[in-house]
Amino acid sequence: MAFLEVKDLEVEFQVDKKPVIPLKGISFEMNEGEVLGIVGETGSGKSLTAHAIMGLSPMSGGKIRGSVKFADQSLLELSEKAMQSIRGSQIAFIPQNPMTSLDPVYRVGAQIMEGLLNHADLSKSQAKQQVLDIMGKLNIPKPEHVFQQYPHELSGGLKQRIVIAMGLCAKPRLLIADEPTTALDVTVQAQIVRLFKEITVSSGIGLLLITHDLGVIAQICDKVAVMYAGNLVELARIKSLFGTPRHPYTQALLNCIPSIGMERGSLAAIHGNVPSATDCPDGCPFHPRCPHSYSTCESTMPALIQIEGGTSVACHLYQEKQE
Ligand code: SF4
């Protein structure tokens, strides 16, 4: 059985008393120690998926449907109290902007220690030693000194490492990282990506990595889920996705990656925008932007089907081939 099994995950909330469904029945599985990347443009539902897995709705009164099985537990059936103890201990979340997790008026060491003391029966001196050990493993220079510093005294890369230390201190089995490198410069990005790879390999932690950066995906992931307008449109192993992208949206995303030596002015772009959840077109939501769109695409939503090589794709072109 998969270590994380997400089935028909859906989020619904009300806008002007009308139901809006920004996440529409996502299904995927992850094994222990695996790195799954979720990629797509802003508004595709990546962060919503991460929050829904943790039982968090983007709006009060929002409903989360479907099932999330994690380490033999059905997360969406647990009480909020039980979920709170899972968040932070078994599932850790690393946000895009470290400043949203760090309190500017407390020293960073105390903030990491707080998470550890909440989830483990340790004395303060034992907790401090564990925090210093984690900081050392994350290559934080002079951990004793950084332990005593305030967030504003640290660089962006160090702040992100502190947030990762906060996530790791309770020894979670699953790490969910939401655009963890977006706010960082390229050299620090490379360090953080390497760090994630080391953590998953050395400790067997599963990593669900949300990003719009296909370069980061290529470096670290085992599998990739491509999302568009709240739907999962392609799920594939990394080699297959980059070697033979199937869905027209995946192909378009890969076409947008600039390469060294390409001619000036030849940078590709996908025309148009991701539709909003309140104004999604009928049929395949990608049809207004798709170069292969035909009449069926405008009226009928394609189902996610499995094709060769373990890839799954939601596109009528492949359904027709199978039929
Ligand atoms: Fe394009 Fe049609 Fe496939 Fe959608 S279903 S991606 S519109 S070909």
Side-chain angles (χ1 to χ4, degrees):
M1 193 178 153
F3 143 86
L4 176 69
E5 193 181 296
V6 174
K7 213 160 176 220
D8 301 325
L9 187 63
E10 194 167 280
V11 171
E12 179 188 309
F13 53 82
Q14 302 279 319
V15 174
D16 295 335
K17 297 191 180 156
K18 287 188 193 134
V20 173
I21 304 179
L23 192 66
K24 301 172 180 115
I26 302 293
S27 301
F28 62 84
E29 291 180 356
M30 250 181 95
N31 294 320
E32 207 145 8
E34 206 166 43
V35 183
L36 173 74
I38 302 188
V39 71
E41 290 165 277
T42 303
S44 57
K46 307 183 298 293
S47 299
L48 213 50
T49 304
H51 284 86
I53 288 171
M54 295 185 294
L56 300 170
S57 163
M59 280 183 152
S60 66
K63 291 178 195 144
I64 303 171
R65 291 190 284 259
S67 106
V68 178
K69 290 207 173 119
F70 168 70
D72 296 330
Q73 305 161 95
S74 288
L75 297 190
L76 300 185
E77 289 167 21
L78 298 179
S79 66
E80 178 51 27
K81 196 170 171 218
M83 268 315 288
Q84 273 177 10
S85 79
I86 286 177
R87 289 183 214 122
S89 61
Q90 296 183 49
I91 302 178
F93 182 70
I94 302 195
Q96 178 174 348
N97 181 355
M99 285 316 285
T100 57
S101 310
L102 293 172
D103 191 324
V105 299
Y106 286 100
R107 295 177 198 277
V108 294
Q111 295 189 53
I112 309 174
M113 253 175 67
E114 189 184 353
L116 188 54
L117 289 168
N118 281 342
H119 295 289
D121 188 16
L122 296 170
S123 68
K124 279 197 172 170
S125 64
Q126 287 170 323
K128 181 173 179 182
Q129 193 48 55
Q130 280 203 21
V131 169
L132 291 173
D133 289 347
I134 291 170
M135 290 169 82
K137 278 188 193 148
L138 295 177
N139 296 327
I140 293 173
K142 301 184 193 153
E144 285 272 9
H145 174 67
V146 175
F147 188 95
Q148 297 297 343
Q149 289 188 295
Y150 290 95
H152 73 269
E153 296 178 279
L154 307 179
S155 66
L158 261 184
K159 279 197 273 256
Q160 190 59 293
R161 276 166 203 253
I162 295 297
V163 173
I164 295 172
M166 286 166 80
L168 290 177
C169 67
K171 300 195 174 83
R173 296 179 66 190
L174 174 66
L175 205 55
I176 300 180
D178 189 0
E179 305 268 12
T181 57
T182 302
L184 307 172
D185 66 56
V186 246
T187 44
V188 182
Q189 265 188 23
Q191 288 170 12
I192 298 290
V193 168
R194 260 200 310 276
L195 195 60
F196 276 128
K197 192 75 199 166
E198 282 163 22
I199 292 166
T200 51
V201 170
S202 66
S203 56
I205 291 176
L207 173 63
L208 190 64
L209 178 70
I210 293 162
T211 180
H212 61 267
D213 188 336
L214 283 161
V216 171
I217 293 271
Q219 288 177 65
I220 189 174
C221 294
D222 301 302
K223 280 196 303 200
V224 190
V226 182
M227 291 193 67
Y228 187 79
N231 296 280
L232 184 56
V233 297
E234 183 162 354
L235 182 64
R237 299 215 66 89
I238 191 85
K239 270 195 179 163
S240 170
L241 190 107
F242 281 90
T244 324
R246 314 299 174 121
H247 195 280
Y249 179 57
T250 314
Q251 293 165 358
L253 281 179
L254 292 176
N255 274 343
C256 294
I257 301 176
S259 60
I260 293 171
M262 70 191 289
E263 279 179 31
R264 264 181 101 106
S266 59
L267 195 61
I270 313 174
H271 70 87
N273 296 306
V274 179
S276 82
T278 52
D279 190 22
C280 207
D282 288 340
C284 169
F286 189 55
H287 85 254
R289 305 172 81 188
C290 179
H292 307 288
S293 174
Y294 59 105
S295 56
T296 310
C297 308
E298 293 171 21
S299 57
T300 313
M301 174 75 191
L304 190 75
I305 55 163
Q306 196 159 32
I307 56 170
E308 73 272 10
T311 294
S312 297
V313 64
C315 172
H316 290 305
L317 299 175
Y318 298 89
Q319 278 173 353
E320 281 195 354
K321 266 187 211 161
Q322 278 204 341
E323 278 157 20

